[in-house]
Amino acid sequence: MNFKQFSKSVLLLAGFAVWGFSASAQGDAAKGEALFKSKCTSCHAIERQVTGPALGPLITSETDDKFLTKWIQNNQALIGSKEPRAVAIYNKFNQQNMTIFADLSDGDVANILAYVRGEWKTIQSAPKPAATATAADSGPSDLVIYGLLAVIVIAFIVILVLNKVIATLERLLLNKKGLLPEVIEEGEPVDKLAVLKKIAKNKKLVFFILLCGTIALGSWTWVALWNTNVHTGYQPVQPIKFPHDIHAGMLKIDCQYCHSGAYKSKNASIPSLNVCMNCHKVVKTESPEIHKIYDALGYDPSTMKYDSTKARPIQWIRIHNLPDFAYFNHSQHVKVGKIKCQQCHGPIQEMKEVYQYSPLTMKWCIQCHKRTEVDGKGNAYYTNLEQVHDLIKKNGKVTEAMMGGIECGKCHY
């Protein structure tokens, strides 16, 4: 009797233990989301490959959570112990070491796995976009366009016919009243310059024509001279088609992620191709434009290795260019003036290919300087100027260095 009661107690305790373990193994998806975003998103995404593989299908296909927990906490120890699955994963992804997360407990890993599996299930069950969605945005059909052109042509023909009919009716009416001009007999010479001679005798009309011609020619000359060396709308063909509307517009990548010199130097700088490879080592690898980057770096996407002997520079064509006598410092405008890139370069986030938006003339710069307010609060440059002016008021010693006279850009620009 006692043995039966003891056996029931043991079985009950074992059942609670198994239930508790399975509950903890299921994990908390909400907590897992926070951990995933803070620990995993720099290298992984759920539905696509980034630096590391897509986690959704990988974790869902691997049902051994104990192995996944050990792999996440210390994958290098598993590889070192020659665990077959760990070695296979290591070799599959070109022997790239994954970060060790020894600070994650078994419960933390269970939460992450629960979140990833739940999100992947949601992505898989999401309805696919209808095929007619793109057709709705494709614009008017060819039939509509040709129909409108046909209506315009028919209307033009009708107008011509009506004018011909009106002219015929007028001739009949004048003929009936005997008011038609005398018909020139066949063989009699016709003076083709009669109209011009008649106009030449009208001095007021001649003066008006000459005046209009002079004004038109003068205006054309003025506009041509004013726009000399102004390249608004200049859009050369670049060696690689870089879509700013996708990167700066849709993806909202900050301009200074690529043009890192804009806030700290005179030039905004052209980004190196290594900046492109931060993303495009795994993103849009099938694109022909991305393969131009690979070719320029001597990079083989199949082996993920570089060959420096095949590398060559990209011959970008400069779009925005100022005369040599004009000094422009990006950092003064971006960091001190807090001016947005779009103020000079236009709606760059909407351009498929960049073109010169602003005229970049002296008048255009002066107008901007006249209307732009200076915010000197908390700015070290203007704080220094205030201190210098206070010294001047007190007849203190003020040197050129205190006014920025030894900055490199004062002489070397």
Side-chain angles (χ1 to χ4, degrees):
M1 193 72 177
N2 291 333
F3 177 75
K4 288 182 178 180
Q5 291 178 349
F6 177 76
S7 301
K8 289 180 180 180
S9 300
V10 170
L11 291 174
L12 185 63
L13 290 173
F16 276 116
V18 171
W19 176 81
F21 177 77
S22 62
S24 63
Q26 290 178 359
D28 188 336
K31 294 180 180 179
E33 180 180 6
L35 289 169
F36 179 83
K37 290 180 178 179
S38 63
K39 300 284 187 180
C40 310
T41 51
S42 60
C43 297
H44 294 282
I46 293 176
E47 76 284 3
R48 68 181 189 280
Q49 180 175 340
V50 192
T51 303
L55 292 185
L58 184 65
I59 289 179
T60 304
S61 62
E62 177 58 66
T63 57
D64 188 350
D65 287 2
K66 290 183 178 180
F67 168 75
L68 290 174
T69 302
K70 292 179 180 178
W71 173 266
I72 293 171
Q73 291 173 340
N74 194 345
N75 59 90
Q76 294 180 18
L78 280 177
I79 296 169
S81 64
K82 306 297 182 181
E83 207 281 346
R85 285 177 293 179
V87 174
I89 294 173
Y90 182 64
N91 293 329
K92 181 179 179 180
F93 295 100
N94 298 311
Q95 298 185 349
Q96 292 184 348
N97 291 323
M98 175 181 162
T99 305
I100 294 174
F101 295 101
D103 57 324
L104 293 178
S105 64
D106 293 354
D108 292 335
V109 175
N111 294 337
I112 293 173
L113 297 179
Y115 167 71
V116 171
R117 285 168 177 157
E119 285 296 302
W120 178 242
K121 186 178 180 180
T122 302
I123 293 171
Q124 290 293 95
S125 60
K128 299 293 185 289
T132 57
T134 55
D137 297 331
S138 60
S141 64
D142 292 340
L143 181 62
V144 174
I145 295 173
Y146 290 132
L148 290 173
L149 290 175
V151 170
I152 294 172
V153 171
I154 293 172
F156 183 71
I157 294 173
V158 170
I159 291 171
L160 288 178
V161 172
L162 289 176
N163 285 336
K164 188 70 175 177
V165 171
I166 292 170
T168 304
L169 292 175
E170 287 179 348
R171 287 181 62 84
L172 290 173
L173 183 62
L174 291 173
N175 187 26
K176 185 177 181 181
K177 294 182 178 181
L179 300 176
L180 276 177
E182 296 181 0
V183 179
I184 300 174
E185 295 182 2
E186 189 176 353
E188 185 177 345
V190 178
D191 188 0
K192 296 181 180 180
L193 301 177
V195 177
L196 294 178
K197 290 178 180 179
K198 188 176 181 179
I199 293 174
K201 292 179 180 179
N202 191 336
K203 295 181 179 180
K204 292 182 179 179
L205 181 60
V206 171
F207 174 76
F208 179 75
I209 293 174
L210 291 176
L211 180 63
C212 291
T214 304
I215 293 174
L217 182 61
S219 300
W220 177 82
T221 305
W222 176 265
V223 172
L225 292 174
W226 185 262
N227 290 320
T228 299
N229 208 34
V230 176
H231 305 293
T232 305
Y234 175 57
Q235 187 180 30
V237 178
Q238 301 288 0
I240 296 177
K241 294 180 180 179
F242 181 85
H244 277 77
D245 59 335
I246 293 177
H247 293 79
M250 185 176 71
L251 299 178
K252 301 187 184 304
I253 297 175
D254 190 89
C255 298
Q256 294 179 35
Y257 177 78
C258 298
H259 302 283
S260 56
Y263 73 99
K264 61 183 179 182
S265 68
K266 174 180 180 284
N267 298 310
S269 70
I270 298 175
S272 68
L273 296 181
N274 291 326
V275 176
C276 306
M277 293 296 287
N278 288 340
C279 299
H280 289 294
K281 197 171 184 178
V282 291
V283 177
K284 297 289 289 184
T285 56
E286 74 284 356
S287 170
E289 299 299 318
I290 303 303
H291 276 267
K292 292 179 182 178
I293 299 175
Y294 295 164
D295 295 340
L297 289 171
Y299 174 75
D300 186 352
S302 60
T303 61
M304 302 182 74
K305 294 181 180 180
Y306 295 88
D307 184 355
S308 59
T309 60
K310 297 180 180 179
R312 54 179 176 77
I314 294 290
Q315 300 295 326
W316 297 105
I317 301 175
R318 184 164 186 165
I319 299 174
H320 303 86
N321 196 14
L322 293 177
D324 292 339
F325 56 78
Y327 175 76
F328 180 85
N329 191 308
H330 273 84
S331 62
Q332 289 179 349
H333 291 77
V334 175
K335 190 174 182 180
V336 180
K338 297 179 175 62
I339 293 176
K340 294 183 178 179
C341 303
Q342 287 83 351
Q343 192 161 334
C344 296
H345 295 284
I348 202 80
Q349 72 281 358
E350 300 174 4
M351 298 182 186
K352 289 188 178 298
E353 292 187 48
V354 177
Y355 60 89
Q356 183 173 320
Y357 178 82
S358 303
L360 303 182
T361 59
M362 184 175 72
K363 177 183 178 182
W364 178 79
C365 294
I366 289 174
Q367 287 176 340
C368 181
H369 283 203
K370 284 182 176 179
R371 66 174 177 262
T372 303
E373 297 182 4
V374 175
D375 183 11
K377 296 180 180 179
N379 192 304
Y381 175 78
Y382 295 110
T383 301
N384 179 65
L385 284 184
E386 290 177 1
Q387 295 173 355
V388 170
H389 281 88
D390 290 339
L391 283 174
I392 293 174
K393 291 177 182 178
K394 298 176 183 178
N395 294 323
K397 181 181 178 181
V398 177
T399 64
E400 183 64 27
M402 297 172 65
M403 301 289 291
I406 58 175
E407 293 176 0
C408 302
K410 292 290 182 180
C411 300
H412 302 282
Y413 57 85

